[in-house]
Amino acid sequence: MNENEILKRENKREKKARKQAEAIIASKSIELFESNKKLLALNQNLESEIEKRTQEAAQKEIEFKSLVDSTTEFFFKINLQGTFIYVNPSMIKVLGFSEKELIGKHFSELIHPDHLKSIENLYLEQITQLSENSVIEFPVITKNGRHLWVNQSATLVIRKGIPLHFMVLSHDITKVKLAQDAVAQSEEKYRGIMENLELGILEVDNNGKVLKAYSQFCKLTGYSEEELIGNSASDLLLSDEGKAILSKNIHERNNGKSSVYEIPIIKKDGSKVWIITSGAPFYNLDGKQMGTLGIHLDISDRMSIELELQDTKKKAEELAKVKELFLANISHEIRTPMNAIIGMAELLENSRLDRKQNKYVSAIRSSSKNLLVLINDLLDFSKIESGKLIIEIIPFHLKDLIIKAKELLDPKADENGVRISYNIDPDLPKYLLADPTRLGQILINLVGNAVKFTTDGNVYISAKQVKSKANIKSVLFEIKDEGIGISDSEMLGLFENFTQANQTTARIYGGTGLGLSISHKIVNLMGGKLEVFSQKGKGATFYFTLELEEAIGTIELGKDLYRIRENFHESEILLVEDNPVNVLIAKTNLENWNCKVDVAINGKEAIERLIVKKYNLVLMDMRMPVMGGIEATLIIRKQLKLDVPVIAVTGNAIKGDEQKYLKEGMDDYLSKPFEQIDLNKILAKWLKLQSVHEENLIDTSGLNAMGDASFVTMMIKLFIEETTKDLITLEQAVETNNFILIKSVMHKIKPSIKYVCIDRLYNELRRIESWIQGDALFLNKTQHFISSLKVVIQQLGQA
């Protein structure tokens, strides 16, 4: 190929290459133009975004500043040197500084010196460790010098690993801190109290494990707190005896109840100490029981004293029993011959006597009654001393009571040339509520004393209303005499036991010195105080005031119009008595009243006679050789299964004897010495059991004392309705031998029987209710009671 061809080809290639290059350049230019166009559009968008974001940032800064400025918290910025570069208004307001005063101030100028070092160290540590956040509590000082506690949260602002400044938020916690300090002081105060009290305090969990033991408890037990914590208190400190006591109280404690009890604990040295402990549950904030707080007091000394007191009490009780037994024995030993004396005197009075003999017999009876007064004084004194004297509250007629005391003492007054007169305030109600027996006893004692120490003079009895409130009347009782009087020195100890003015008085006028003492004590029991005014040679006035309630409604006070019944139609009587004179008196009286009498001199003989013969009634002396009355009655009831009425005849007359004899199976009680009328009443009461239709079984005096006639009528109607139903139940229970049901019905109707029926029926019910076993005798008594109750309903319906 020649050179031209070669040049042509190269030229051609160059043109082609140039065209290709131009095409590429044109293409790239278009791309560049498009890119430049896009770049221009992107630049415009970027400027717009930057402007938008700049505006948003400015808005957020405005909002942030507004938030910081409006918050009640302290907010500030400090540089790394600790100088304030921004403070919010709240900080300015609370601290009292102006913004100008704070900007550029070093934070240390606001910090209490005691806390400055710890805060500087905290800031330094944040900077060196590049720690973003820290929290601390400390007091700051306001411009006026006041200290405020703050809770501070400091944030270190870091950019590209370089710390710039601190942004700090602080909250005023002064009130909280003061409250915490108060709680801490209170806890410290009570901790000190608890540590110094003579009380051992222990906290245990619900399993009885020790959580905390205070020093006094450690001192009490000998263990250190470390030795107690985590251990079972009961296993460590209680014996079997103590665990038994504790177990009784755990149930109540688990039910959220506190308890107080005495328990022995075993000390570390093995010795036993008695404590009184109070355990109460404690709870968490959710109300869940977390354990028990126990407070323990050492009562070993008290227990020792109590044991001594118990021993002393036991000896005193034994002495009281000996004393009571002595009085019972003395009473029995005196009353038995007294019964013979009074009984023989009565028999003599009923025989043909001349005038002189009648006078002698009258003197015997009078002396016997005086001796009986002495015995009764001794018994009353014993009852008062032992706290067994009971004051009952029943309606009584005041005027009748005073007249009765006067009439009783008129014969003695006549002997001394004394005139007894009385005066009763017309404003006083006719009927009052009190214990007429005891009030009468007081009046008889005081009037009797006045008569005793007066010769040829007057004794005045007065009852005057001194105050009235609704139906409660304050009644002043005065007994005034014109006798020998009492000197000031003789007044001392006048109301003491066995005390009289002087030995001459005792020698001339006689007496035990018990009358005034007993009267004084009974007046106290009735709510009053017996006092005296007197001058030697010018008489004496004894006076006392009682608060007595007026008896409202219809009052029926039964007068004893009983007349001795002469004929008991050959009733078979078993007289069980070992004293020959008493046998003679009782047998003579009984036979005079048309009774057939067999005599047994002891309980054993009585049992032998009852086995072979049926009697209508047994008069059973209590104290006899071989076998006494109680033992014999138990055999009659439990072995012989006899329903014969057994009357206890005894000279004991101690309060409670009657209940004791009734409980042992006897039906009634007759105290020696008794007169013919007393024995006759007992016979009339119990020998009519076979013909109850002849006897009035109604006694509504209790109801009458409670309300007017309409009230009584309503209560009687209710009694008839309810008792008729109960009778049906009782009869069914007897048919099925339902012992428990019978006793249950008896218990139910007992209160109404008390207010509607005579005492005999009430006593029968009580004996049935207290019967021990449901035997044939029990069923017989119940059947008989049912019959009587039917008569009561019939009589009430006819009334």
Side-chain angles (χ1 to χ4, degrees):
M1 183 177 297
N2 60 28
E3 186 174 346
N4 286 330
E5 289 176 349
I6 293 170
L7 288 172
K8 286 181 181 178
R9 287 182 181 180
E10 287 178 357
N11 187 39
K12 188 178 183 179
R13 283 196 294 269
E14 285 177 2
K15 288 181 178 178
K16 185 179 181 180
R18 189 165 52 245
K19 286 180 180 180
Q20 288 177 344
E22 287 175 353
I24 291 171
I25 289 171
S27 174
K28 294 297 181 183
S29 295
I30 293 171
E31 289 180 6
L32 182 60
F33 176 79
E34 293 295 330
S35 295
N36 187 52
K37 185 179 179 182
K38 288 180 179 178
L39 184 59
L40 288 172
L42 181 62
N43 187 49
Q44 289 176 353
N45 290 337
L46 183 58
E47 287 178 356
S48 175
E49 185 67 25
I50 289 172
E51 185 179 357
K52 178 183 177 184
R53 291 192 180 184
T54 300
Q55 290 175 351
E56 288 178 351
Q59 181 64 31
K60 286 183 179 178
E61 186 174 353
I62 292 170
E63 291 175 356
F64 178 73
K65 188 175 186 304
S66 175
L67 177 64
V68 168
D69 287 348
S70 63
T71 183
T72 57
E73 311 293 330
F74 301 173
F75 181 80
F76 59 90
K77 292 180 184 179
I78 57 173
N79 58 26
L80 298 183
Q81 288 73 42
T83 302
F84 290 106
I85 56 178
Y86 170 78
V87 292
N88 74 341
S90 290
M91 184 171 175
I92 294 170
K93 180 180 179 181
V94 174
L95 296 183
F97 294 99
S98 68
E99 184 178 12
K100 184 177 180 180
E101 287 174 319
L102 286 172
I103 299 299
K105 186 187 286 290
H106 196 273
F107 77 87
S108 63
E109 295 182 50
L110 303 181
I111 307 300
H112 192 281
D114 294 345
H115 297 266
L116 180 59
K117 192 67 177 176
S118 62
I119 297 169
E120 287 177 338
N121 289 339
L122 184 66
Y123 283 145
L124 183 60
E125 183 181 352
Q126 268 190 273
I127 294 171
T128 56
Q129 300 293 327
L130 295 181
S131 175
E132 287 189 0
N133 295 300
S134 67
V135 178
I136 189 171
E137 292 180 359
F138 60 90
V140 298
I141 304 172
T142 67
K143 187 175 182 179
N144 63 10
R146 191 163 62 95
H147 289 183
L148 296 179
W149 274 86
V150 296
N151 178 290
Q152 175 179 289
S153 175
T155 300
L156 179 63
V157 179
I158 305 170
R159 284 184 187 166
K160 295 182 180 181
I162 299 173
L164 300 179
H165 58 264
F166 286 96
M167 297 178 66
V168 183
L169 185 68
S170 296
H171 174 63
D172 185 353
I173 59 168
T174 304
K175 291 182 179 179
V176 174
K177 199 67 179 176
L178 290 174
Q180 289 176 344
D181 289 345
V183 170
Q185 289 175 9
S186 178
E187 287 179 350
E188 187 62 29
K189 172 185 174 183
Y190 286 106
R191 182 183 299 277
I193 292 173
M194 292 168 76
E195 294 290 355
N196 291 286
L197 280 176
E198 292 297 317
L199 299 172
I201 301 175
L202 185 71
E203 295 178 14
V204 298
D205 62 20
N206 290 329
N207 297 316
K209 302 288 186 181
V210 177
L211 297 173
K212 182 170 182 58
Y214 290 83
S215 61
Q216 193 61 35
F217 187 85
C218 296
K219 182 179 177 181
L220 175 65
T221 61
Y223 289 98
S224 67
E225 186 176 16
E226 291 74 19
E227 290 174 310
L228 290 167
I229 289 178
N231 286 310
S232 168
S234 60
D235 290 343
L236 194 64
L237 300 171
L238 298 184
S239 62
D240 291 342
E241 177 189 10
K243 289 177 180 177
I245 296 172
L246 178 63
S247 65
K248 294 179 181 178
N249 293 274
I250 285 179
H251 178 70
E252 285 192 355
R253 189 181 300 171
N254 289 340
N255 288 333
K257 296 180 181 178
S258 58
S259 55
V260 179
Y261 53 94
E262 296 175 358
I263 190 171
I265 62 172
I266 307 301
K267 297 174 67 173
K268 185 177 180 180
D269 62 9
S271 61
K272 183 170 79 170
V273 56
W274 274 91
I275 62 170
I276 184 168
T277 178
S278 173
F282 62 85
Y283 307 88
N284 63 12
L285 294 176
D286 296 326
K288 181 180 179 182
Q289 184 176 338
M290 301 301 295
T292 300
L293 175 71
I295 301 175
H296 311 79
L297 175 66
D298 185 351
I299 57 169
S300 299
D301 291 341
R302 196 203 78 186
M303 290 294 288
S304 176
I305 294 171
E306 281 185 2
L307 289 173
E308 291 179 9
L309 288 174
Q310 287 174 5
D311 185 56
T312 303
K313 180 183 176 185
K314 184 178 178 182
K315 289 178 180 177
E317 287 173 347
E318 289 174 353
L319 183 62
K321 287 180 181 178
V322 170
K323 175 182 172 183
E324 187 168 335
L325 182 61
F326 169 76
L327 284 171
N329 288 334
I330 288 294
S331 170
H332 183 272
E333 294 304 323
I334 296 176
R335 283 174 179 273
T336 298
M338 281 291 298
N339 190 62
I341 295 169
I342 292 174
M344 290 302 293
E346 280 193 314
L347 290 176
L348 280 171
E349 277 187 326
N350 293 331
S351 63
R352 289 187 176 183
L353 300 174
D354 59 31
R355 190 172 180 180
K356 184 179 291 187
Q357 289 171 328
N358 267 320
K359 184 177 179 180
Y360 294 158
V361 172
S362 178
I364 292 171
R365 291 199 66 188
S366 176
S367 298
S368 301
K369 288 183 177 180
N370 288 337
L371 184 56
L372 194 56
V373 169
L374 169 60
I375 298 168
N376 289 333
D377 277 353
L378 287 168
L379 290 173
D380 280 342
F381 170 73
S382 174
K383 285 182 244 179
I384 294 170
E385 291 292 294
S386 63
K388 293 181 179 179
L389 190 73
I390 297 173
I391 301 296
E392 63 177 349
I393 304 298
I394 60 174
F396 73 98
H397 192 288
L398 179 60
K399 184 176 180 180
D400 285 352
L401 188 71
I402 292 174
I403 291 174
K404 184 177 179 181
K406 173 187 178 302
E407 291 177 346
L408 185 66
L409 293 163
D410 272 339
K412 180 65 177 176
D414 290 340
E415 291 178 14
N416 286 14
V418 174
R419 178 177 175 270
I420 303 174
S421 59
Y422 64 87
N423 179 51
I424 300 172
D425 191 335
D427 291 335
L428 279 171
K430 187 175 182 181
Y431 296 102
L432 294 166
L433 294 174
D435 189 328
T437 302
R438 295 304 171 188
L439 181 55
Q441 183 180 359
I442 295 166
L443 294 175
I444 289 169
N445 272 337
L446 297 180
V447 176
N449 257 17
V451 169
K452 183 195 299 185
F453 297 115
T454 302
T455 304
D456 295 327
N458 292 285
V459 170
Y460 306 97
I461 310 169
S462 74
K464 180 181 179 183
Q465 179 175 302
V466 292
K467 192 167 56 176
S468 177
K469 184 178 180 181
N471 61 327
I472 304 298
K473 314 298 179 183
S474 292
V475 184
L476 172 64
F477 293 89
E478 287 186 332
I479 291 84
K480 182 178 181 181
D481 66 62
E482 297 174 346
I484 61 175
I486 309 168
S487 67
D488 291 342
S489 61
E490 291 170 343
M491 289 276 196
L492 299 175
L494 187 64
F495 297 122
E496 291 180 6
N497 305 329
F498 304 102
T499 299
Q500 289 187 318
N502 54 52
Q503 293 298 319
T504 304
T505 301
R507 184 178 69 253
I508 297 174
Y509 297 99
T512 61
L514 274 179
L516 285 180
S517 173
I518 291 170
S519 297
H520 184 261
K521 288 180 170 65
I522 295 175
V523 170
N524 285 344
L525 288 173
M526 296 179 75
K529 182 180 180 182
L530 179 59
E531 298 180 273
V532 60
F533 171 78
S534 181
Q535 288 181 291
K536 194 68 175 177
K538 295 184 179 181
T541 301
F542 286 84
Y543 58 96
F544 59 94
T545 302
L546 297 179
E547 300 287 329
L548 302 179
E549 184 177 353
E550 181 180 358
I552 306 297
T554 304
I555 309 298
E556 292 182 5
L557 301 179
K559 294 187 177 181
D560 191 359
L561 303 177
Y562 184 84
R563 295 292 180 266
I564 289 181
R565 182 173 173 177
E566 302 291 345
N567 187 1
F568 286 99
H569 308 291
E570 297 187 338
S571 295
E572 295 283 356
I573 309 296
L574 177 59
L575 175 62
V576 190
E577 170 66 70
D578 64 318
N579 184 287
V581 179
N582 285 332
V583 168
L584 173 61
I585 295 167
K587 193 170 184 293
T588 302
N589 283 321
L590 291 170
E591 289 176 346
N592 286 342
W593 300 329
N594 196 18
C595 293
K596 292 185 175 180
V597 185
D598 288 337
V599 177
I601 62 172
N602 56 54
K604 184 174 179 296
E605 279 193 17
I607 298 300
E608 292 170 352
R609 288 184 175 275
L610 286 163
I611 290 173
V612 298
K613 185 176 178 179
K614 182 177 180 180
Y615 291 92
N616 298 111
L617 184 138
V618 178
L619 292 170
M620 180 76 73
D621 189 29
M622 290 294 97
R623 298 180 61 174
M624 298 174 291
V626 184
M627 182 184 291
I630 292 178
E631 186 181 353
T633 303
L634 288 173
I635 294 173
I636 292 170
R637 299 303 188 210
K638 296 188 178 300
Q639 295 183 21
L640 302 184
K641 306 289 186 183
L642 296 178
D643 195 20
V644 59
V646 177
I647 311 302
V649 184
T650 179
N652 283 2
I654 299 294
K655 184 69 176 178
D657 281 351
E658 180 177 359
Q659 299 304 318
K660 178 177 71 175
Y661 297 142
L662 293 176
K663 187 177 179 182
E664 297 295 349
M666 298 175 190
D667 296 278
D668 215 330
Y669 176 94
L670 185 60
S671 177
K672 296 177 184 176
F674 54 83
E675 298 184 352
Q676 290 178 356
I677 192 171
D678 301 318
L679 178 59
N680 197 272
K681 281 182 179 179
I682 285 287
L683 295 179
K685 179 178 179 179
W686 291 99
L687 291 178
K688 293 183 74 173
L689 286 176
Q690 305 304 319
S691 55
V692 303
H693 290 270
E694 300 175 9
E695 183 182 6
N696 179 23
L697 302 181
I698 303 171
D699 181 4
T700 59
S701 58
L703 278 181
N704 293 333
M706 295 170 64
D708 56 20
S710 60
F711 169 82
V712 174
T713 301
M714 180 186 70
M715 294 304 294
I716 289 175
K717 181 181 178 183
L718 184 62
F719 174 87
I720 293 173
E721 291 173 355
E722 294 300 317
T723 308
T724 301
K725 299 175 187 176
D726 293 327
L727 276 173
I728 295 172
T729 305
L730 271 178
E731 289 178 331
Q732 292 172 347
V734 170
E735 289 176 4
T736 57
N737 295 335
N738 192 332
F739 174 69
I740 295 176
L741 180 57
I742 291 172
K743 295 188 72 173
S744 174
V745 175
M746 289 296 185
H747 181 75
K748 174 189 172 186
I749 65 176
K750 183 166 68 173
S752 55
I753 295 295
K754 175 72 173 177
Y755 286 99
V756 173
C757 301
I758 62 174
D759 288 344
R760 177 173 65 76
L761 285 186
Y762 179 72
N763 290 332
E764 282 183 33
L765 182 148
R766 288 175 54 201
R767 280 189 291 275
I768 295 170
E769 185 191 11
S770 61
W771 209 265
I772 298 174
Q773 57 187 9
D775 52 19
L777 184 56
F778 170 81
L779 294 174
N780 287 339
K781 281 187 173 291
T782 304
Q783 192 67 261
H784 185 273
F785 180 83
I786 290 172
S787 299
S788 299
L789 205 51
K790 288 180 178 179
V791 175
V792 169
I793 292 174
Q794 180 183 348
Q795 291 178 350
L796 285 171
Q798 295 172 351

